[in-house]
Amino acid sequence: MTREKKEILKKIEEIDNFIEADMALGCGFAPASFYDPLYEEIYALEEQLAKLMHYESVEAMLHDERGCHYWEEDPNLPFK
């Protein structure tokens, strides 16, 4: 993973941690749209990450199923 990707992931994690801490310390009393600018910033960072990872969009990156087929062979799962 390139340094730029790692830095983007670190920024996303920092924003997520801030939102979680603010919600925990504020007991959920923030107005309904208080975190919208932060979520927009996360989405913009995810768009940059998707481009760096050669995806068409954030949605294509998040819904990529490559490498997720290990569950098909797991005998402990009750469904197939």
Side-chain angles (χ1 to χ4, degrees):
M1 183 176 291
T2 64
R3 180 178 179 162
E4 190 174 2
K5 292 177 194 174
K6 288 180 184 178
E7 289 177 6
I8 290 173
L9 289 171
K10 185 177 177 181
K11 289 178 186 176
I12 291 171
E13 184 178 6
E14 287 174 359
I15 295 170
D16 276 336
N17 289 340
F18 171 78
I19 292 171
E20 288 179 27
D22 192 58
M23 290 177 83
L25 294 173
C27 300
F29 288 116
S33 61
F34 183 75
Y35 300 114
D36 286 351
L38 294 173
Y39 288 125
E40 290 172 6
E41 185 176 350
I42 288 174
Y43 191 79
L45 290 168
E46 287 176 340
E47 284 179 336
Q48 292 177 8
L49 185 62
K51 288 180 184 176
L52 289 172
M53 296 177 75
H54 308 289
Y55 287 101
E56 304 170 2
S57 65
V58 175
E59 289 76 18
M61 178 181 70
L62 295 176
H63 296 292
D64 186 13
E65 294 181 357
R66 292 180 289 174
C68 295
H69 299 289
Y70 62 89
W71 50 268
E72 292 177 348
E73 301 170 2
D74 189 356
N76 296 324
L77 294 177
F79 54 87
K80 293 275 182 188

